[in-house]
Amino acid sequence: MRFLKKLALLLPLVLLACAYRPDIKQGNFITDDMIAKLKPGMTQTQVEYVMGPAMVRDPFHPDRWDYMFYDDLEDGQVLKKHVVVIFKDGKVVSVEKVPVNDRGG
């Protein structure tokens, strides 16, 4: 009988612990407002101030910075965003939102 009482007390706690699933975020947090602030002619320092450090800086393509964001949402969907910033002579020449599958982009 003592076992059943302990089980009855622990069961709700175990169920509550299993019910919560936090969002899993990876990469650079990217908003549309941040992307809108990027303009041709901005320096690399200005881009880093707006967007933060790039997720990927390829040593073979130093004038390309990739910003990626993945958010595994509670409803099982994945929010993905990918932005590529291209520089020439240390200044922005293009900003491209790369289309991704699922939500976001």
Side-chain angles (χ1 to χ4, degrees):
M1 193 65 166
R2 290 179 72 199
F3 175 75
L4 290 176
K5 286 183 180 180
K6 288 181 182 178
L7 183 63
L9 290 174
L10 289 176
L11 187 61
L13 293 174
V14 170
L15 292 175
L16 285 174
C18 294
Y20 178 72
R21 183 172 170 249
D23 289 351
I24 299 172
K25 295 173 177 60
Q26 296 180 358
N28 301 91
F29 182 73
I30 301 170
T31 65
D32 291 333
D33 291 337
M34 292 166 69
I35 297 168
K37 290 179 184 177
L38 299 178
K39 304 290 182 204
M42 290 177 78
T43 65
Q44 292 176 336
T45 304
Q46 290 171 320
V47 171
E48 197 165 30
Y49 179 78
V50 172
M51 299 289 289
M55 179 88 171
V56 178
R57 287 191 187 173
D58 185 349
F60 298 106
H61 301 97
D63 291 334
R64 174 187 168 125
W65 289 4
D66 287 80
Y67 291 89
M68 294 175 255
F69 178 66
Y70 300 93
D71 190 356
D72 188 5
L73 303 172
E74 287 184 21
D75 60 4
Q77 293 189 355
V78 178
L79 173 66
K80 298 180 183 181
K81 291 187 178 188
H82 184 179
V83 176
V84 177
V85 181
I86 305 293
F87 297 93
K88 184 173 182 181
D89 299 325
K91 307 275 185 179
V92 173
V93 291
S94 72
V95 177
E96 177 186 353
K97 286 177 71 174
V98 178
V100 291
N101 56 4
D102 297 334
R103 287 179 45 194

